[in-house]
């Protein structure tokens, strides 16, 4: 009799296995922030970002479009911090958001002011979580957009939006875009291209990073 009552009490106190697993396996969404130059940010800075979900970091670069890499391992940038954005509640919402953004953020559409990696991170977080990234992350680009609207002729041709009617994706720099090749979503990555292609890709990203650093250094001395 005593053992029977103990079994009943234990069954009432302990949550069902399914309910327990649901509360302990929530998927966290993390924004990884990188410095593109040596800097002490005041109000904003020159940042690259990627969104980490289940051990995969999603980002956007010129030429590569939307790509995947290891967490906190973006080429040509120095990792600064991780910001927890929230928890993923709907798997289908993430899948549909990634599918839409892969079409929208193709490699040729990159623009350092109007459609950059931070715009992608913001759009992914808004689609998956319903909230955007901190405003200071893309503030310099936002300022550039406002100046460009006031006096478009002051912007170099490569900084002007490809579609003048397009609106910036966020609510709130050098002239060399953040570039990379990465592994496009849905592809098998660099491994499928073989060691030679992977080596060439690394050299191309290193060269792009060097050109970006030199450009930023030149802008800072002007």
């Amino acid at each position: 009799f005593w053992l029977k009552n103990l079994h009943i009490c234990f069954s009432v106190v302990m949550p069902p296995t399914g309910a327990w697993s649901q509360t302990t396996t929530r998927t966290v969404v993390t924004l990884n922030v990188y410095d593109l130059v040596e800097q002490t940010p005041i109000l904003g800075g020159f940042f690259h970002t990627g969104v980490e979900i289940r051990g995969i970091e999603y980002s956007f670069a010129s030429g590569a479009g939307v790509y995947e890499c290891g967490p906190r391992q973006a080429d040509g940038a120095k990792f600064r911090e991780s910001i927890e954005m929230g928890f993923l509640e709907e798997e289908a919402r993430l899948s549909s958001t990634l599918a839409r953004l892969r079409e929208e953020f193709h490699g040729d559409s990159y623009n350092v002011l109007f459609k950059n990696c931070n715009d992608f991170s913001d759009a992914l977080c808004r689609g998956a979580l319903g909230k955007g990234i901190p405003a200071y992350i893309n503030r310099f680009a936002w300022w550039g957009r406002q100046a460009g609207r006031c006096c478009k002729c002051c912007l170099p041709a490569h900084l002007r939006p490809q579609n003048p009617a397009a609106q910036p994706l966020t609510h709130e720099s050098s002239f060399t875009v953040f570039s990379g090749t990465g592994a496009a979503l849905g592809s098998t990555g660099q491994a499928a291209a073989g060691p030679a292609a992977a080596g060439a890709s690394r050299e191309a990203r290193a060269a792009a990073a060097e050109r970006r650093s030199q450009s930023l250094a030149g802008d800072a001395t002007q």
Side-chain angles (χ1 to χ4, degrees):
F1 175 79
W2 179 81
L3 290 176
K4 182 179 179 181
N5 288 339
L6 178 63
H7 174 72
I8 293 174
C9 292
F10 182 78
S11 299
V12 171
V13 172
M14 293 300 293
T17 303
W20 181 268
S21 62
Q22 289 177 3
T23 59
T24 58
T25 58
R26 300 176 70 189
T27 300
V28 65
V29 177
T30 303
L31 180 72
N32 290 328
V33 183
Y34 303 79
D35 287 327
L36 290 176
V37 297
E38 291 293 333
Q39 59 183 338
T40 302
I42 300 176
L43 299 180
F46 297 100
F47 300 113
H48 168 70
T49 58
V51 178
E52 178 184 348
I53 305 173
R54 287 193 292 271
I56 299 175
E57 184 170 311
Y58 301 93
S59 192
F60 172 60
S62 175
V66 177
Y67 69 94
E68 304 171 10
C69 68
R72 303 174 296 281
Q73 296 179 16
D75 289 327
K78 181 180 179 181
F79 176 73
R80 165 176 282 271
E81 63 177 331
S82 291
I83 302 174
E84 186 175 300
M85 296 299 299
F87 293 94
L88 184 65
E89 301 293 344
E90 301 178 28
E91 187 68 28
R93 186 172 179 177
L94 172 63
S95 300
S96 62
T97 297
L98 282 172
R100 173 176 59 82
L101 295 183
R102 188 167 73 179
E103 296 297 326
E104 183 177 341
F105 286 80
H106 54 85
D108 294 337
S109 69
Y110 186 100
N111 184 296
V112 71
L113 289 184
F114 291 92
K115 201 172 188 180
N116 58 40
C117 58
N118 302 320
D119 290 309
F120 168 79
S121 295
D122 186 78
L124 179 53
C125 287
R126 288 183 184 278
L129 302 175
K131 60 184 292 187
I133 66 175
Y136 76 89
I137 296 292
N138 211 28
R139 181 163 288 147
F140 283 4
W142 186 84
W143 285 346
R145 292 167 188 174
Q146 310 318 305
R149 289 195 184 94
C150 295
C151 188
K152 293 182 180 180
C153 62
C154 294
L155 287 178
H158 66 283
L159 291 184
R160 298 170 188 168
Q162 295 179 358
N163 179 8
Q167 297 297 317
L169 299 174
T170 57
H171 299 281
E172 279 285 306
S173 126
S174 79
F175 292 151
T176 304
V177 300
F178 180 85
S179 61
T181 53
L185 294 178
S187 72
T188 56
Q190 295 179 346
S201 176
R202 285 193 296 270
E203 292 177 1
R205 292 197 300 271
E210 178 64 23
R211 290 195 299 271
R212 181 173 57 254
S213 298
Q214 292 176 355
S215 177
L216 288 172
D219 293 343
T221 59
Q222 291 180 357

